[in-house]
Amino acid sequence: MPANVPVFKNYVNGEWVPARSGRLFENRNPADITDCIGRFADSDERDVKDAVDAAAEAYKSWRLVPAPARGEILYRLGQILKERKEEYSRAMTREMGKVLKETRGDVQEAIDMAFLMGGEGRRLHGQTTHSELPNKFAMSVRQPIGVCGFITPWNFPMAIPAWKTTAALVCGDTVVIKPATDTPHSVLNFAQALEDAGLPKGVFNVVTGGGAKAGMPLIKDRRVKVISFTGSTAVGRTINEACAPDFKHVHLEMGGKNPIIVMDDANLELAVDGAIWGAFGTSGQRCTASSRLLVHKKIAKKFTTLLGERAGALRVGSGLDEKVEMGPSINESQLDTVLDYISIGRAEGAKLAAGGRRLTGKPYDKGWFVQPTVFGDGHRKMRIATEEIFGPVTVVVPISSLEEGIEIANETDYGLSGAIFTQDVNKAFVAMRDVVAGIFYVNLPTIGAETHLPFGGCKKTGNGHREAGLAALDVFSEWKSVYVDYSGTIQKAQIDVPDLPARAAAKKDSTRKREG
Ligand code: NAD
């Protein structure tokens, strides 16, 4: 290990502190594993306890800071991230491999969230409404919940922490985050930006380390009131179960197997363009990746040929090279998973139209590179067409009608994102209505969400909550309904009926009828 490899610390109570054990883990560039980004705190339950202590103490005052003032800090955060966008994007590409254009998008998402939630500081609207009783006032207000624990994945290392953090902070909650071990640096950069924006000590804390050793103690700490997790469905289930005994609020964003339906009337070039971006953006390592292409049988062959040609021509390499279009897989184990699925696809009888191999030789030898891979002649029941691969592999499954496309789209366990390419507005609306997904695109691939709309999925992708948009506020706040009675009497809702003029007239009328 070269002596000049930097050592990074946890961020707890506004201080940079080592893990109590003194242990460290390494983080290496997936495009060149001889490049060590740094050594990071390998935390355990003692470090998590310190961070939750800090967040619980800070909550006492942060919840009372007026929301517009909380929002102003988020504005400053947005401004700082804007100034450091290039620096943080480069650090992110080095740490996790996606190309610079995309890491700039990742930091931009954090900037957009900072401004979106900064503005929410002056809204955080509740409802004021009318009481059913006179001289009584009724309203509902959002209240913070307390300490929130975040467990995040590596594929959007600043955007996803920012989705959660900005919403929680504007609501008045405090945060402890445990990022993925493949991308701690981006989250520490985010912490630095929050510190520089003037966030009080203890409001935001980062504890780096593994899932079982540092993630689980965070989930199990009874002082943590909300767990917000983004990652695989298998880990999400474990976390859901761990949160159940305390009835902890739990927000889960998990895997996907996202379909694009391509109808025979589609603009073919546009659909191929969309499939390239949807399947190979972030090397296919997006929860929203377009990993199933349900293409009308009349155009399936032509579509597969064009897609194969385009995929084969993609420039693969280090994301730090501006000319490169697709980076590496995140680590060796993910590369092995991708190669396994390619073997499975071959064995299942799908036909390779592009790729299918690990890239070797210069400049690939030091990284985890695999060719962009397209399978044609897929079948709806194949494992490559139903299981999340999380790599640059997509499969064309021919369909004979829109109805069949929708049926296949809906038959996996996941329900994150869906798309259709068609020129027929009627087909577009039917698919929009009937594909079971949290996000749907017409004439776009399954990726590319905007921060001011809710993001999340159905079935085994999510548990009914949403990130981003105003929906995110529901995860991080609790509704309180408030009644103020200024009648001077104890009025009983549903029991006391106010004597209104119209009711009095109707009563008089019915008495007259009875008597007369
Ligand atoms: P992962 O589930 O392996 O890890 C996610 C996080 O959970 C990491 O921080 C990890 O350290 C932690 N973790 C793992 N085991 C744990 C345990 N037992 N207790 C507590 N924490 C634990 O996922 P990943 O490989 O980092 O990310 C890829 C997955 O994330 C894919 O399935 C992808 O679809 C999903 N994802 C979903 C969304 C979404 O919004 N739906 C977004 C991005 C990624």
Side-chain angles (χ1 to χ4, degrees):
M1 172 68 52
N4 58 355
V5 170
V7 171
F8 293 89
K9 296 177 177 172
N10 285 333
Y11 183 65
V12 175
N13 205 21
E15 310 288 334
W16 298 93
V17 293
R20 284 198 179 242
S21 65
R23 279 198 300 266
L24 297 164
F25 67 90
E26 283 178 6
N27 180 19
R28 287 177 180 267
N29 178 346
D32 174 2
I33 55 161
T34 62
D35 175 25
C36 186
I37 287 134
R39 297 195 290 160
F40 292 77
D42 188 5
S43 311
D44 60 29
E45 70 281 357
R46 291 169 291 169
D47 307 295
V48 173
K49 183 182 173 301
D50 291 344
V52 178
D53 285 349
E57 186 57 31
Y59 177 66
K60 292 177 190 163
S61 48
W62 180 245
R63 75 182 184 91
L64 300 175
V65 173
R70 298 196 294 251
E72 273 175 37
I73 294 177
L74 295 178
Y75 274 126
R76 283 205 289 281
L77 168 71
Q79 206 53 48
I80 290 168
L81 290 175
K82 254 175 130 168
E83 287 156 16
R84 298 179 191 166
K85 182 171 170 180
E86 195 54 24
E87 177 196 341
Y88 287 174
S89 304
R90 285 181 176 277
M92 191 186 297
T93 293
R94 187 174 163 218
E95 167 168 72
M96 57 75 69
K98 67 185 172 188
V99 298
L100 271 175
K101 237 186 231 161
E102 292 187 50
T103 50
R104 289 180 189 127
D106 195 305
V107 177
Q108 185 60 45
E109 224 166 314
I111 296 167
D112 293 345
M113 277 309 296
F115 289 134
L116 175 74
M117 289 300 162
E120 217 32 55
R122 287 204 177 261
R123 285 186 294 269
L124 276 185
H125 290 153
Q127 296 169 339
T128 48
T129 185
H130 297 269
S131 165
E132 64 186 47
L133 292 162
N135 297 321
K136 190 176 169 192
F137 185 84
M139 62 182 170
S140 55
V141 292
R142 286 190 187 277
Q143 298 251 288
I145 304 179
V147 179
C148 300
F150 299 161
I151 311 236
T152 53
W154 47 264
N155 63 339
F156 281 84
M158 194 173 287
I160 290 176
W163 287 355
K164 299 179 192 301
T165 302
T166 56
L169 295 188
V170 80
C171 286
D173 298 317
T174 56
V175 171
V176 177
I177 181 169
K178 193 223 69 75
T181 44
D182 282 310
T183 50
H185 192 203
S186 294
V187 177
L188 294 177
N189 282 339
F190 184 63
Q192 184 65 63
L194 275 163
E195 178 176 275
D196 296 343
L199 194 71
K201 284 178 189 304
V203 174
F204 180 80
N205 306 273
V206 187
V207 177
T208 57
K213 248 173 42 189
M216 206 33 99
L218 182 60
I219 293 160
K220 293 211 162 143
D221 192 311
R222 299 187 87 155
R223 296 168 299 164
V224 176
K225 303 297 178 196
V226 181
I227 288 292
S228 179
F229 164 80
T230 302
S232 61
T233 298
V235 174
R237 180 178 288 111
T238 305
I239 289 178
N240 205 17
E241 285 167 3
C243 288
D246 283 338
F247 300 101
K248 196 165 282 195
H249 290 208
V250 55
H251 163 223
L252 306 170
E253 295 295 343
M254 301 171 285
K257 188 72 183 176
N258 311 285
I260 300 181
I261 298 172
V262 185
M263 295 310 299
D264 51 342
D265 65 5
N267 174 335
L268 198 62
E269 279 194 15
L270 190 74
V272 169
D273 262 359
I276 286 283
W277 174 225
F280 303 119
T282 316
S283 311
Q285 302 170 116
R286 289 192 184 212
C287 50
T288 50
S290 307
S291 49
R292 296 189 285 158
L293 308 172
L294 313 178
V295 184
H296 197 282
K297 61 184 181 191
K298 282 190 194 155
I299 55 161
K301 206 164 169 205
K302 193 163 175 205
F303 178 92
T304 308
T305 306
L306 284 175
L307 184 67
E309 284 168 9
R310 288 283 305 281
L314 284 174
R315 284 184 294 264
V316 181
S318 162
L320 289 168
D321 176 346
E322 297 272 6
K323 289 196 276 321
V324 160
E325 294 164 291
M326 196 186 93
S329 290
I330 183 70
N331 53 36
E332 188 172 19
S333 131
Q334 194 58 42
L335 177 85
D336 288 345
T337 303
V338 172
L339 295 173
D340 279 353
Y341 271 106
I342 291 173
S343 306
I344 290 166
R346 285 175 195 268
E348 286 178 316
K351 292 206 179 72
L352 268 178
R357 284 190 304 111
R358 180 174 180 177
L359 284 157
T360 49
K362 257 190 167 173
Y364 303 118
D365 274 349
K366 293 179 185 164
W368 313 121
F369 293 98
V370 64
Q371 293 175 319
T373 298
V374 177
F375 278 108
D377 285 342
H379 184 273
R380 62 201 280 181
K381 298 291 180 202
M382 287 177 174
R383 286 183 62 194
I384 54 166
T386 53
E387 296 174 16
E388 186 179 48
I389 299 173
F390 228 55
V393 181
T394 194
V395 55
V396 176
V397 177
I399 55 169
S400 41
S401 65
L402 175 64
E403 291 66 33
E404 191 190 14
I406 293 172
E407 196 181 298
I408 298 174
N410 287 343
E411 71 187 2
T412 68
D413 280 347
Y414 303 108
L416 182 51
S417 184
I420 188 168
F421 280 82
T422 179
Q423 300 295 314
D424 181 337
V425 69
N426 298 338
K427 288 185 179 134
F429 267 84
V430 168
M432 182 271 284
R433 183 193 62 196
D434 292 345
V435 170
V436 180
I439 310 162
F440 193 77
Y441 297 90
V442 176
N443 293 328
L444 283 167
T446 52
I447 68 177
E450 300 181 29
T451 54
H452 52 300
L453 277 77
F455 180 98
C458 318
K459 301 197 281 185
K460 289 183 185 157
T461 296
N463 65 339
H465 301 286
R466 291 291 183 268
E467 306 260 30
L470 299 190
L473 301 173
D474 292 333
V475 174
F476 300 112
S477 61
E478 193 95 77
W479 282 113
K480 184 176 278 178
S481 295
V482 182
Y483 301 94
V484 182
D485 194 310
Y486 53 99
S487 70
T489 58
I490 299 299
Q491 303 190 86
K492 303 183 196 76
Q494 294 93 38
I495 294 170
D496 292 343
V497 181
D499 206 12
L500 303 176
R503 285 186 184 154
K507 209 165 134 194
K508 214 163 145 191
D509 195 38
S510 75
T511 316
R512 214 178 27 241
K513 276 188 191 143
R514 254 201 330 271
E515 287 173 353

